[in-house]
Amino acid sequence: MSRLTQAAAGRYAPPAARRELVAVSADGARLHVEEHGDPDAPPVVLAHGWTCSTAFWAAPIRDLAADHRVIAYDQRGHGRTPATSSYSTTALADDLAAVLRAALAPGERAVLAGHSMGGMTIMAAAGRPELDEHAAAVLLCSTGSSRLAAEARVVPLRPGRLRTRLTRALLGSRAPLGPITPPARQVLKYATMGPGSAPDKVEACARIVHACPTAVRHGWSRVLADLDVDARLAALTAPTAVLGGTADRLSPIVHARRLAAALPRCVGLTELAGMGHMTPVEAPEAVAGAIRDLARRYLADHPQETRQQQQEERTP
């Protein structure tokens, strides 16, 4: 990955991986996977969002790698994972399943955290054998399960058909993002970050987002525009925490609240005041803290919890 596509220094510069590997998905797609931290520490798996890459998780990785084995991967077409012709929620779920098989031993449990499209990936994969086997707990971060274009507030109009249509057109544009200029930073900050985001955070996000190929950005935008994984929520039976920013224009906090109400085992809703959509960059301590808390509760205390135990727990 070019140094121009990510921060070159500081907490938002991606740390060097301890190990890199390739996970092969159901259709043959080859996914870049990297590991950080102690190989014998409790594992966490990170799934990034639309137009991002493993570099997006740089600050949480630096935090978590001190006492966890951190596994992060590039979604297809992002970062170091080549693009394919297949863009669908099935592909997202297939890819996550492949990563879990490649990076975790049989029966090994991990905390799964997904930001934005990464959270949708986890929801799309709910009920699959790989999640039942490996997901000790889940964090859904700045994400939603449906009505993304209808409820986004990127276009400053009242809710309705016109705003939804303009939102779909804007987010699905085939126009290249171009160089990172001061106006480009301002547009990205308005659309994706809270008003108080510091310049280094805006710069880190801009470098990552602008590096996403135009065709990949457009291909996944069509999936997100029509996304509806509401029916999968009932199958997401691992303990699941939800986190969102109150100033999020892409996935407004109403999504987090709706998820918290619908999930079978929601174990907490965190609303970050003034934060936008890019919470792992805007509030890395809060995101890493939420993941660490889930690991403490469901890996350190219950490392061998099984699906049968979960079912018994839910039985009146």
Side-chain angles (χ1 to χ4, degrees), residues 157-188:
L157 295 175
R158 290 182 296 180
R161 292 181 180 177
L162 176 60
R163 190 181 78 173
T164 299
R165 186 164 64 249
L166 292 175
T167 298
R168 293 172 68 102
L170 176 65
L171 299 181
S173 171
R174 293 181 182 269
L177 295 182
I180 301 172
T181 61
R185 293 185 187 93
Q186 285 301 111
V187 169
L188 181 133

Side-chain angles (χ1 to χ4, degrees), residues 62-294:
R62 290 181 183 280
D63 186 332
L64 291 166
D67 51 5
H68 294 79
R69 174 160 65 103
V70 184
I71 299 158
Y73 73 101
D74 285 324
Q75 302 268 21
R76 60 176 66 196
H78 297 75
R80 281 176 276 185
T81 293
T84 71
S85 59
S86 178
Y87 299 101
S88 66
T89 55
T90 298
L92 291 174
D94 286 343
D95 293 352
L96 176 58
V99 169
L100 296 178
R101 289 194 302 269
L104 299 174
E108 185 176 18
R109 311 283 277 168
V111 172
L112 277 52
H115 169 260
S116 190
M117 191 174 79
M120 299 162 199
T121 298
I122 296 172
M123 289 183 270
R128 290 202 175 200
E130 293 84 359
L131 253 72
D132 291 341
E133 178 181 1
H134 294 294
V138 169
L139 175 66
L140 298 178
C141 185
S142 305
T143 190
S145 57
S146 64
R147 294 182 52 80
L148 302 182
E151 292 180 339
R153 295 187 288 108
V154 175
V155 177
L157 295 175
R158 290 182 296 180
R161 292 181 180 177
L162 176 60
R163 190 181 78 173
T164 299
R165 186 164 64 249
L166 292 175
T167 298
R168 293 172 68 102
L170 176 65
L171 299 181
S173 171
R174 293 181 182 269
L177 295 182
I180 301 172
T181 61
R185 293 185 187 93
Q186 285 301 111
V187 169
L188 181 133
K189 180 179 178 180
Y190 169 81
T192 68
M193 305 181 79
S197 295
D200 62 333
K201 299 182 179 185
V202 177
E203 182 69 19
C205 287
R207 287 186 179 275
I208 295 167
V209 171
H210 279 241
C212 183
T214 300
V216 172
R217 188 181 81 239
H218 173 73
W220 283 117
S221 75
R222 297 179 64 184
V223 175
L224 300 181
D226 297 318
L227 181 92
D228 186 345
V229 291
D230 288 345
R232 304 306 310 151
L233 294 179
L236 188 52
T237 55
T240 303
V242 182
L243 180 149
T246 63
D248 189 341
R249 289 188 171 93
L250 274 180
S251 299
I253 197 66
V254 63
H255 289 288
R257 294 168 182 165
R258 188 179 298 134
L259 287 173
L263 288 163
R265 296 183 71 193
C266 182
V267 294
L269 169 62
T270 301
E271 299 188 14
L272 300 177
M275 296 296 128
H277 186 68
M278 305 302 223
T279 43
V281 173
E282 295 179 74
E285 298 89 352
V287 172
I291 295 170
R292 180 172 279 109
D293 179 64
L294 289 171

Side-chain angles (χ1 to χ4, degrees), residues 21-33 76 94-103:
L21 60 150
V22 173
V24 181
S25 194
D27 64 353
R30 296 174 65 82
L31 305 153
H32 169 76
V33 184
R76 60 176 66 196
D94 286 343
D95 293 352
L96 176 58
V99 169
L100 296 178
R101 289 194 302 269

